Amino acid sequence: SQTIHQWPATLVQPVGSPLSLECTVEGTSNPNLYWYRQAAGRGLQLLFYSVGIGQISSEVPQNLSASRPQDRQFILSSKKLLLSDSGFYLCAWSGGGGGSQPQHFGDGTRLSIL
Amino acid sequence: GQSLEQPSEVTAVEGAIVQINCTYQTSGFYGLSWYQQHDGGAPTFLSYNALDGLEETGRFSSFLSRSDSYGYLLLQELQMKDSASYFCASFSGNTGKLIFGQGTTLQVKP
């Protein structure tokens, strides 16, 4: 069966520090991968999505970047964190290709910027 | 662009039936999905409607009317564990990307 792992679960970082959040998927090949951010009590905002290795699409201009160095690995990064980067970050995967396949989410990383 | 509107909060009693509505405006529509998220947890997929009509999965059903740009999630025989946030989401074109509504917080009371 397919599983998705996301870590760390919580993270407290000072303003201006770098960030690296990692997400890996097991049990499937060539998945579509997604990074979302969720503010408290709000919906999910799509940040990045990837349909293959090295293929990253950014949905909103921001202080973050994403990379997909391997088929089932998706990394969210920042060189210098801002206070506004605080939030709940969720990684998700769906079956490869286009269409309307459900997305499956990791447990999320709660990021607090001090 | 795309936007989805749903009520922010709904309250119901245990054992009752509740309906959570979702209206959408999309440029290219590929169906409506529903996700459940318990407080502090990850969203989990509930249902998907590509065509008009009702889809039933146990106590949960989802309905879509493409002509009305409207759908709803119906929860029957409510249980305390159903207290959670429920999100409708629409696919953005044929890319697999989802656009989410702001979520409806359902509170089930004894």
Side-chain angles (χ1 to χ4, degrees), chain A residues 17-90:
Chain A
S17 64
L19 174 74
S20 181
L21 302 181
E22 189 163 342
C23 172
T24 59
V25 180
E26 296 178 357
T28 187
S29 297
N30 195 32
N32 290 346
L33 297 172
Y34 310 87
W35 277 112
Y36 291 90
R37 177 169 57 205
Q38 185 177 32
R42 303 282 290 175
L44 286 77
Q45 181 187 35
L46 180 63
L47 301 176
F48 300 95
Y49 78 98
S50 171
V51 299
I53 295 174
Q55 301 179 60
I56 310 293
S57 295
S58 175
E59 290 298 295
V60 292
Q62 61 204 309
N63 185 43
L64 301 168
S65 62
S67 62
R68 184 170 178 175
Q70 300 181 43
D71 180 45
R72 290 170 289 177
Q73 183 184 28
F74 206 22
I75 298 171
L76 184 69
S77 303
S78 174
K79 293 182 179 179
K80 295 180 68 174
L81 286 167
L82 306 173
L83 283 174
S84 57
D85 291 324
S86 292
F88 190 41
Y89 288 83
L90 290 154

Side-chain angles (χ1 to χ4, degrees), chain B residues 75-110:
Chain B
L75 297 86
Q76 303 182 71
E77 301 173 17
L78 281 174
Q79 302 175 9
M80 297 299 292
K81 67 178 182 179
D82 297 328
S83 293
S85 292
Y86 293 84
F87 295 88
C88 57
S90 174
F91 286 100
S92 174
N94 194 28
T95 62
K97 295 189 298 179
L98 278 173
I99 305 299
F100 283 82
Q102 292 301 300
T104 299
T105 300
L106 169 64
Q107 184 178 16
V108 180
K109 295 185 174 180

Side-chain angles (χ1 to χ4, degrees), chain A residues 92-107:
Chain A
W93 74 272
S94 68
S100 52
Q101 301 188 54
Q103 293 187 10
H104 307 277
F105 288 82
D107 291 333

Side-chain angles (χ1 to χ4, degrees), chain B residues 18-66:
Chain B
V18 71
Q19 179 174 312
I20 299 174
N21 299 319
C22 175
T23 58
Y24 59 87
Q25 292 183 334
T26 63
S27 54
F29 180 73
Y30 287 83
L32 195 67
S33 299
W34 288 93
Y35 286 78
Q36 179 192 59
Q37 185 181 31
H38 284 99
D39 194 30
T44 57
F45 172 76
L46 291 178
S47 68
Y48 170 65
N49 293 70
L51 303 174
D52 287 0
L54 192 68
E55 295 282 342
E56 298 181 70
T57 307
R59 294 187 298 113
F60 293 4
S61 302
S62 57
F63 172 82
L64 177 65
S65 170
R66 296 171 71 111

